[in-house]
Amino acid sequence: MGSEIEKEREEEEEDIVCLDESFFVNDDYQLTSFTFGSNVLELYCLQSASTDFDLTGQLVWPGAMLMNGYLSDNADILQGCSVLEFGSGVGITGVLCSKFCRKVVFTDHNDEVLKILKKNIELHEHSSGLDPSAELEAAKLEWGNSDHLGEILQKHSDGFDLILGADICFQQSSVPLLFDSVEQLLRMRGHGNCKFILAYVSRARQMDSAILREGSLHGMLMNEVPGTRCTVGNLEGVIFEITLK
C-alpha cells in the first residue's frame, strides 16, 4: 500500500511544471519609429504583449498615440515646463515632452518595464532634438505608495507644472489610488498652478464612470478638451484636463 502511494506521488510530481518568472517576460524589443507632427521619435518597444498582464508597459498603447498627437499639436503648453508622467511604459510620451520641457520625471511601478524605460531615456539623452539642459529621470512609482511618491517629492520639492497619464486606466481597483496620488501632486502646487492631462481610452462603462466618480470625490474638475474625442484603433478616446475645484 505504501509503495503505491509513493508511486502516485512521484507521478504527480512529474506533472508539476515549474516556470521561472523569465518565462513570462518578453524582451524582444525592436527600435521603432513614431511620427507626431514634425517630431520623429525612435524607441525600443515590443510589437506584441508579454504573457504577463503586469507588463503592459512594454507596448505603445492607443492612448499614448492620442496623447502625443495632442501634445504635438499643442506644444506651447509644454514649453519650459516640469512634468511627471504616470505609467510611462517605454516612455513615448515623456520622450516627446523632453523636446520642450525643462524637466521630465518618467514613472512606472514594474521593474522590468523600468529597465526598457531607462534604456529609451539613455537613447534620447544625447539626441539632437533634446534641450541639453533638460533633466530626465526614471523613478519607481506604485500608485498609492506614499514612500515612492514621498521620495520623488523630496527630490523635486517644487512640484510639477504638469502631470500626464496616457492610457493608464485598466483596472478599476487602481483608479482610487491613481487619483490619490494625483491629488497630492495638484495640492502641492496649489489651485491653478498644476493640472493633470489624461488621455483616456474607453474600454468599459464601469471604468468610464469610475474615473469621473473618483475625480469628483477628490475635489477635481474633469474638463473634456474640445475636439479631442476620437476613435483610436477601434475604441473611443478623449483628452481630459483635470484641476482642483
Side-chain angles (χ1 to χ4, degrees):
M1 180 71 176
S3 60
E4 289 180 4
I5 292 174
E6 288 179 6
K7 185 177 179 181
E8 287 177 3
R9 284 177 178 171
E10 288 175 2
E11 289 176 351
E12 286 176 1
E13 288 177 359
E14 287 176 2
D15 287 338
I16 296 173
V17 179
C18 296
L19 297 176
D20 183 85
E21 64 179 15
S22 63
F23 173 82
F24 297 98
V25 177
N26 178 0
D27 58 3
D28 184 23
Y29 299 111
Q30 296 180 30
L31 190 61
T32 308
S33 293
F34 300 88
T35 301
F36 304 99
S38 61
N39 301 289
V40 179
L41 310 179
E42 286 194 325
L43 299 102
Y44 290 101
C45 62
L46 293 185
Q47 307 303 307
S48 59
S50 293
T51 52
D52 187 342
F53 176 78
D54 201 37
L55 292 170
T56 53
Q58 294 174 303
L59 292 168
V60 173
W61 287 87
M65 305 298 284
L66 173 63
M67 174 72 90
N68 281 29
Y70 172 70
L71 294 176
S72 180
D73 291 341
N74 299 275
D76 55 304
I77 66 175
L78 299 173
Q79 205 68 48
C81 285
S82 58
V83 170
L84 181 139
E85 184 187 14
F86 285 103
S88 295
V90 295
I92 190 168
T93 294
V95 166
L96 175 65
C97 290
S98 71
K99 293 178 176 292
F100 308 97
C101 298
R102 61 180 174 84
K103 178 195 296 183
V104 181
V105 177
F106 304 71
T107 73
D108 208 282
H109 78 284
N110 184 281
D111 290 332
E112 192 66 32
V113 174
L114 281 167
K115 290 179 186 177
I116 187 60
L117 175 58
K118 290 175 181 177
K119 184 175 181 178
N120 280 328
I121 291 172
E122 290 172 7
L123 179 68
H124 285 271
E125 275 183 323
H126 305 292
S127 67
S128 58
L130 177 68
D131 181 345
S133 65
E135 180 183 343
L136 307 183
E137 175 190 335
K140 184 166 185 171
L141 177 56
E142 185 172 359
W143 305 340
N145 187 313
S146 57
D147 290 337
H148 289 174
L149 189 57
E151 287 178 16
I152 292 171
L153 293 180
Q154 186 174 15
K155 187 171 182 180
H156 305 279
S157 57
D158 56 340
F160 300 90
D161 300 312
L162 291 174
I163 307 160
L164 302 179
D167 217 344
I168 55 175
C169 300
F170 288 97
Q171 293 176 293
Q172 196 168 334
S173 60
S174 70
V175 175
L177 301 176
L178 168 64
F179 277 84
D180 286 346
S181 297
V182 170
E183 183 182 359
Q184 275 189 260
L185 290 164
L186 292 177
R187 294 200 181 282
M188 184 176 183
R189 269 295 183 88
H191 190 275
N193 295 313
C194 178
K195 62 183 173 183
F196 175 36
I197 300 178
L198 175 66
Y200 178 71
V201 175
S202 176
R203 293 183 174 86
R205 288 182 180 177
Q206 292 110 320
M207 184 64 80
D208 299 349
S209 301
I211 64 163
L212 296 174
R213 180 175 64 250
E214 288 301 325
S216 178
L217 288 172
H218 285 80
M220 299 175 191
L221 291 171
M222 304 279 293
N223 297 308
E224 179 178 328
V225 178
T228 62
R229 188 170 290 272
C230 62
T231 301
V232 284
N234 59 344
L235 302 169
E236 186 176 61
V238 65
I239 301 286
F240 288 107
E241 284 195 357
I242 302 168
T243 56
L244 294 173
K245 290 182 179 177

